């Protein structure tokens, strides 16, 4: 079941990518960084404008680069993501058996995990390193209960390597293990590791590699109503609690919680909610954020909640409680939730909207021969990210100097995310009237401009 799920997830994300619906933000960012690491170059993302460690202090990209040594392809990231997401079913099954559930019940819980809409949906939303933390957190829970010290430490460090903010989840998990699970050694390790890594990541790594753009603009801007620094945010939460309470007691929060709990509502019992202590940091960050994408089952932000939500369901079922206890009915509920909230329908709707230029786009990409700089749409950028310089079109932020690029690839019929047809057509007309670029390919409103040799010599 796990292997089949991994194949299905990998096939879906790969098909989305082939159909030009993956995007520079975020797949292009991570693909470019991992490629540059594999080539021994500094992974400075031209999409972000700074070193990849300045984004989320995700050191996991360095071991991932070993795969690119075998063959540099973005499909490694999609495969790793699919395997990581699918493997969570194995750990879920083991946790269920560890607390005494029957084999059929444990399999049903594994199906609940695989059909939880977030697992399928996040697989379609490009690539995010925190998917690797999902089985790592489940593995840490299992290792703590089985008293596997080395396995536990490895799982914790793997989760911390995926994203700096996960250190809060690890620390909160430590509190849960230490106080309520009576796993004092494991709880202390998780709590200390989380606090130490959060401090190192936010006070040293992110500011050093990313500067102001990474430490403030990227990470605090979504909480700007609370302050412009971690210190200001903490002070406002302490002395102006009404700012946060307005967010907590809102229809948006109610809707978010309903989406989060609906797929497993049958297995939620108040007396078994203690594992959600580990999910409190993520819940608070998502509820307090201005960004609506942090409160849905499409993006990656709710992923750290899932392991502990599943533990709640498992413990409820083990206690003989919950609305539903029969495996078939549990699976039926999960199927209904998946069909209601899964984004599988995109494959016969929005993912097909650019088929009319699909062949022309592929032919244009094939003619980008060198590793020179590329300026293109956000969707095409993920197919050309293996180079030091690549940027995507943004109608609100056009590039000041087009001559730094060797190739400019535009699709005026489908101009891409943050762009529009007028911007793309104006850019095409501008390039047609300049001597620095020549039109190299044109078909079905797809244009490839290449910098002419004299302009290239001047730039070099």
């Amino acid at each position: 079941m796990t292997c089949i799920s991994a194949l299905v997830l990998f096939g879906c994300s790969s098909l989305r990518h082939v159909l030009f619906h993956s995007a520079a933000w975020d797949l292009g960012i991570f693909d470019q960084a991992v490629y540059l690491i594999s080539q021994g170059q500094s992974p400075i993302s031209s999409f972000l404008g700074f070193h990849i460690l300045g984004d989320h202090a995700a050191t996991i990209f360095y071991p991932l680069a070993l795969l690119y040594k075998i063959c540099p392809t973005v499909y490694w990231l999609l495969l790793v993501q699919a395997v990581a997401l699918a493997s969570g079913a194995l750990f879920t099954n083991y946790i269920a058996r560890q607390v005494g559930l029957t084999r059929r019940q444990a399999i049903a819980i594994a199906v609940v995990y695989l059909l939880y809409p977030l697992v399928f949906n996040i697989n379609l939303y490009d690539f995010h390193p925190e998917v690797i933390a999902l089985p790592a957190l489940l593995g840490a829970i299992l290792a703590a209960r089985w008293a596997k010290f080395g396995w536990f430490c490895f799982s914790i460090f793997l989760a911390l390597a995926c994203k700096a903010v996960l250190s809060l989840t690890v620390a909160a998990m430590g509190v849960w293990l230490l106080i309520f699970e009576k796993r004092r050694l494991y709880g202390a390790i998780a709590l200390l590791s989380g606090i130490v890594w959060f401090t190192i990541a936010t006070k040293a790594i992110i500011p050093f590699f990313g500067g102001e753009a990474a430490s403030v603009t990227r990470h605090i801007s979504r909480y700007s109503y609370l302050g412009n620094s971690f210190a200001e945010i903490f002070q406002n939460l302490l002395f102006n609690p009404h700012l946060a309470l307005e967010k907590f007691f809102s229809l948006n929060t109610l809707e978010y919680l309903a989406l989060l709990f609906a797929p497993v509502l049958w297995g939620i019992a108040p007396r078994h909610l203690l594992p959600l202590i580990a999910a409190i940091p993520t819940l608070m960050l998502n509820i307090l954020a201005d960004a609506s994408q942090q409160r849905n089952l499409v993006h990656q932000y709710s992923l750290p909640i899932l392991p502990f939500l599943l533990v709640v369901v498992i413990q409820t079922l083990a206690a003989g409680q919950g609305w539903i206890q029969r495996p078939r009915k549990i699976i039926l509920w999960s199927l209904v939730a998946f069909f209601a909230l899964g984004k599988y329908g995109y494959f016969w709707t929005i993912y097909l909207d650019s088929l009319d230029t699909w062949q022309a786009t592929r032919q244009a990409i094939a003619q980008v021969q060198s590793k020179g700089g590329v300026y293109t749409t956000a969707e095409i950028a993920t197919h050309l990210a293996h180079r030091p310089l690549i940027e995507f079109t943004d109608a609100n932020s056009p590039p000041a100097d087009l001559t730094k690029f060797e190739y400019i690839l535009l699709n005026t019929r489908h101009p891409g995310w943050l762009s529009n047809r007028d911007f793309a057509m104006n850019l095409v007309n501008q390039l047609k009237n300049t001597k620095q670029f020549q039109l190299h390919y044109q078909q079905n409103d797809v244009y490839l401009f290449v910098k002419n040799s004299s302009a290239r010599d001047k730039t070099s």
Side-chain angles (χ1 to χ4, degrees):
M1 186 169 63
T2 300
C3 293
I4 292 172
S5 298
L7 290 174
V8 170
L9 292 172
F10 178 60
C12 289
S13 60
S14 297
L15 179 58
R16 176 181 182 264
H17 178 66
V18 168
L19 292 173
F20 295 106
H21 277 277
S22 58
W25 217 280
D26 293 322
L27 184 60
I29 292 173
F30 301 139
D31 182 38
Q32 182 190 30
V34 176
Y35 170 77
L36 292 175
I37 293 171
S38 72
Q39 300 300 305
Q41 301 180 47
S42 181
I44 296 176
S45 169
S46 56
F47 297 113
L48 298 174
F50 50 79
H51 195 287
I52 194 63
L53 288 181
D55 187 27
H56 293 292
T59 57
I60 192 67
F61 292 122
Y62 284 85
L64 284 176
L66 296 175
L67 296 173
Y68 277 51
K69 289 284 189 179
I70 301 172
C71 177
T73 173
V74 69
Y75 292 102
W76 279 121
L77 296 183
L78 301 181
L79 178 61
V80 167
Q81 177 165 263
V83 171
L85 289 171
S87 66
L90 283 174
F91 292 105
T92 301
N93 180 273
Y94 283 128
I95 293 172
R97 294 303 300 272
Q98 187 269 335
V99 300
L101 295 187
T102 66
R103 181 175 179 273
R104 291 183 62 197
Q105 287 176 320
I107 291 175
I109 294 298
V111 173
V112 168
Y113 166 85
L114 291 172
L115 291 179
Y116 192 83
L118 181 62
V119 173
F120 181 82
N121 294 344
I122 185 59
N123 181 69
L124 295 181
Y125 183 53
D126 295 335
F127 168 85
H128 297 89
E130 52 263 53
V131 298
I132 301 171
L134 183 58
L137 290 171
L138 287 166
I141 295 169
L142 186 61
R145 291 184 168 183
W146 279 353
K148 300 291 185 179
F149 182 78
W151 177 5
F152 178 81
C153 292
F154 173 77
S155 298
I156 290 298
F157 296 147
L158 182 60
L160 293 174
C162 293
K163 197 173 185 179
V165 73
L166 288 170
S167 58
L168 299 177
T169 299
V170 170
M173 181 176 69
V175 173
W176 169 58
L177 291 173
L178 181 66
I179 300 175
F180 301 100
E181 288 285 298
K182 307 304 179 184
R183 309 283 178 176
R184 292 181 175 83
L185 174 61
Y186 299 91
I189 290 173
L191 178 59
L192 183 61
S193 299
I195 293 173
V196 170
W197 183 246
F198 181 80
T199 304
I200 293 173
T202 58
K203 297 297 184 181
I205 296 176
I206 292 175
F208 179 79
F209 287 100
E212 186 75 10
S215 58
V216 177
T217 306
R218 285 273 289 157
H219 302 289
I220 301 181
S221 60
R222 294 179 181 182
Y223 308 92
S224 58
Y225 70 97
L226 291 172
N228 296 317
S229 67
F230 289 113
E232 286 184 20
I233 290 174
F234 179 77
Q235 288 175 6
N236 277 318
L237 287 174
L238 191 62
F239 298 110
N240 297 296
H242 66 278
L243 296 174
L245 291 176
E246 289 174 0
K247 287 282 189 179
F248 278 105
F249 298 101
S250 66
L251 289 177
N252 288 335
T253 298
L254 181 62
E255 179 186 11
Y256 172 53
L257 294 177
L259 288 172
L260 198 62
F261 287 96
V264 292
L265 192 61
W266 58 268
I268 303 296
R271 63 181 301 180
H272 298 289
L273 290 177
L274 286 176
L276 289 182
I277 290 172
I280 288 175
T282 301
L283 276 170
M284 289 187 64
L285 288 172
N286 292 345
I287 290 172
L288 291 174
D290 276 334
S292 60
Q293 62 263 37
Q294 288 190 227
R295 293 183 295 276
N296 58 37
L297 297 186
V298 177
H299 299 84
Q300 73 276 15
Y301 302 101
S302 297
L303 211 58
I305 299 172
L306 183 55
F308 308 101
L309 190 58
L310 289 169
V311 174
V312 169
V313 172
I314 290 170
Q315 293 186 171
T316 300
L317 195 59
Q321 300 176 356
W323 301 351
I324 303 173
Q325 296 183 27
R326 297 184 61 181
R328 288 186 180 181
K329 291 185 178 180
I330 291 172
I331 293 173
L332 180 60
W333 182 294
S334 297
L335 281 169
V336 171
F338 177 79
F339 287 130
L341 300 173
K343 301 304 179 183
Y344 52 87
Y346 286 175
F347 283 102
W348 50 84
T349 54
I350 63 175
Y351 287 170
L352 300 179
D353 61 8
S354 59
L355 273 182
D356 51 344
T357 60
W358 182 80
Q359 186 62 36
T361 304
R362 283 176 54 86
Q363 291 174 355
I365 289 173
Q367 297 185 48
V368 178
Q369 299 293 331
S370 74
K371 296 296 183 181
V374 173
Y375 184 57
T376 186
T377 70
E379 291 75 13
I380 298 175
T382 57
H383 297 258
L384 293 167
H386 292 181
R387 61 196 68 245
L389 175 61
I390 182 168
E391 295 179 12
F392 63 88
T393 53
D394 182 349
N396 297 317
S397 182
D401 180 18
L402 288 173
T403 60
K404 65 181 179 180
F405 303 107
E406 187 174 337
Y407 303 94
I408 299 178
L409 175 53
L410 303 170
N411 185 333
T412 59
R413 193 181 302 178
H414 304 289
W417 180 59
L418 294 183
S419 186
N420 56 59
R421 184 172 176 80
D422 289 340
F423 174 79
M425 285 304 303
N426 289 336
L427 189 54
V428 166
N429 293 330
Q430 175 187 341
L431 291 167
K432 283 182 176 180
N433 294 319
T434 182
K435 296 179 180 180
Q436 295 169 313
F437 286 89
Q438 58 183 0
L439 181 60
H440 185 75
Y441 175 87
Q442 176 184 353
Q443 186 175 335
N444 295 341
D445 297 327
V446 175
Y447 299 84
L448 174 63
F449 293 89
V450 180
K451 186 190 292 186
N452 62 45
S453 55
S454 60
R456 195 179 305 139
D457 293 338
K458 287 182 180 179
T459 304
S460 61

